[in-house]
Amino acid sequence: MSTIFSKIINREIPADIVYESENVLAFKDIRPQAPVHILIIPKTEIPKVTDIKGKEHAELLGEMFDAANKIASDLGIAEDGFRLVFNCGNNGGQEVYHLHMHLLGGRKMNWPPG
Ligand code: 5GP
């Protein structure tokens, strides 16, 4: 089922896009939890982590990590470090069922997470 992120991909609703390639889109989270908070998504609809098939999606996931590294570098947080998060399902705190990687940085992250 399509989510709000499909609407962002299709430019039906606005987003602050920081990176785009043929298969991947990245934009600023509307409710940032850190000075840098970017969502990196595949353009294809994969609802959540448990829908990932390693062999089928390996290249796409690689592209998402490449995008994260490029964005972190472009935004000047690569050297100090950052956090990448995939929330999965109810207990994982997933709100939008279109796979997304959170890129969080610009401050020291806490551990354990809440
Ligand atoms: P989740 O909790 O599913 O891992 O993360 C979903 C994220 O999407 C949340 O951090 C939330 O703030 C963000 N989000 C939800 N709706 C929108 C939207 O319309 N635009 C943007 N840019 N971010 C959104």
Side-chain angles (χ1 to χ4, degrees):
M1 206 181 77
S2 286
T3 69
I4 192 109
F5 290 176
S6 294
K7 292 194 168 71
I8 290 175
I9 293 167
N10 296 327
R11 306 303 204 266
E12 291 165 27
I13 64 164
D16 200 339
I17 292 170
V18 297
Y19 173 89
E20 182 164 25
S21 69
E22 187 185 345
N23 301 311
V24 172
L25 187 71
F27 50 90
K28 291 185 183 174
D29 196 293
I30 206 166
R31 294 193 301 269
Q33 302 301 316
V36 173
H37 188 172
I38 306 294
L39 300 172
I40 300 161
I41 70 171
K43 289 187 178 175
T44 183
E45 285 180 28
I46 301 169
K48 58 188 191 296
V49 165
T50 48
D51 296 307
I52 292 172
K53 308 270 182 285
K55 282 192 177 146
E56 186 182 337
H57 297 127
E59 201 168 323
L60 181 60
L61 291 170
E63 280 187 45
M64 290 172 68
F65 279 91
D66 282 350
N69 281 329
K70 180 179 178 352
I71 295 162
S73 176
D74 288 350
L75 298 182
I77 60 167
E79 193 157 326
D80 285 342
F82 51 85
R83 184 169 292 173
L84 298 176
V85 174
F86 287 91
N87 294 325
C88 180
N90 191 44
N91 276 3
Q94 186 172 4
E95 176 192 317
V96 179
Y97 281 79
H98 181 126
L99 187 73
H100 50 281
M101 178 195 275
H102 295 259
L103 166 61
L104 296 146
R107 68 168 168 83
K108 183 97 172 84
M109 296 296 147
N110 300 315
W111 194 265

